[in-house]
Amino acid sequence: LAAADGAALLRDAIAYYDSPEFKRLSPRWQSTSRYYIGLIEDALGWMTVPDLNSRAARDDFYAMRDAHADLPAKADKLMNVLRRLLSWGYERNRIEINHAIKIPHLVGSNAARADFVWTDEWEAAFLAVAKPEMANLFRLAMFTALRQSDLCAMRWTNFDGQWLVVK
């Protein structure tokens, strides 16, 4: 991000790239962020600090997101990077407000939560055909309600013979 003196704010992301916040990201996410920041610069590089502080900037943010709507996951990642970049600029007093906050994702679900809850019939059908290790994994997930990443990180040391201990 460039200095907040009216120059094009998104044209220069070097200060953000040198920040501890950016350096704390994994190398893969740094590379991904650079790619998306390039797309942001292409679409919004003309914007000045007063432009970014104006509520009208949301129209431009929506237009950029909608231009990538044919690939909704990409559009959402683009908006996530924009939000992070503008949040960084806000925290560093380069802009007065982050107008990208609360712009909704394109990927999501319009289905009711009830559509994602396994019925007893679905569970029985799965367990009838699942290999024993998959059935055990299914039950572990169902009875612990742990996230997939937490299940994958579990070790035998989490089990003391009677209790499953997860921090």
Side-chain angles (χ1 to χ4, degrees):
L1 296 171
D5 59 1
L9 184 64
L10 294 174
R11 203 176 298 269
D12 180 10
I14 294 172
Y16 175 63
Y17 294 148
D18 288 338
S19 73
E21 293 84 1
F22 185 79
K23 290 179 180 177
R24 190 173 46 233
L25 300 173
S26 71
R28 182 175 179 184
W29 189 243
Q30 285 181 15
S31 175
T32 300
S33 293
R34 287 179 191 274
Y35 168 75
Y36 284 107
I37 289 171
L39 294 178
I40 293 166
E41 289 174 332
D42 291 345
L44 305 174
W46 57 270
M47 294 182 92
T48 64
V49 171
D51 293 326
L52 289 165
N53 286 328
S54 169
R55 177 109 166 72
R58 284 181 72 82
D59 293 336
D60 296 303
F61 299 161
Y62 271 104
M64 180 181 67
R65 183 200 69 175
D66 295 349
H68 296 277
D70 57 326
L71 298 169
K74 180 178 181 179
D76 289 348
K77 286 180 188 173
L78 180 66
M79 293 307 297
N80 287 341
V81 171
L82 175 64
R83 275 189 282 277
R84 182 180 299 118
L85 188 61
L86 293 178
S87 291
W88 181 86
Y90 172 79
E91 292 299 325
R92 301 293 177 106
N93 293 317
R94 294 171 182 257
I95 58 174
E96 295 175 15
I97 190 167
N98 180 351
H99 286 295
I101 289 176
K102 295 190 180 179
I103 292 178
H105 287 111
L106 295 177
V107 174
S109 174
N110 295 327
R113 173 150 167 70
D115 294 340
F116 295 107
V117 177
W118 281 54
T119 65
D120 292 338
E121 293 79 25
W122 292 355
E123 182 182 335
F126 174 77
L127 293 174
V129 298
K131 293 181 181 178
E133 57 271 12
M134 291 305 294
N136 288 337
L137 183 59
F138 174 83
R139 288 186 189 100
L140 183 65
M142 185 173 65
F143 292 126
T144 63
L146 289 172
R147 296 175 296 191
Q148 179 180 355
S149 59
D150 293 330
L151 288 168
C152 291
M154 288 187 70
R155 301 288 176 251
W156 277 108
T157 56
N158 293 110
F159 183 63
D160 69 4
Q162 181 178 2
W163 295 98
L164 182 63
V165 180
V166 181
K167 294 182 182 179

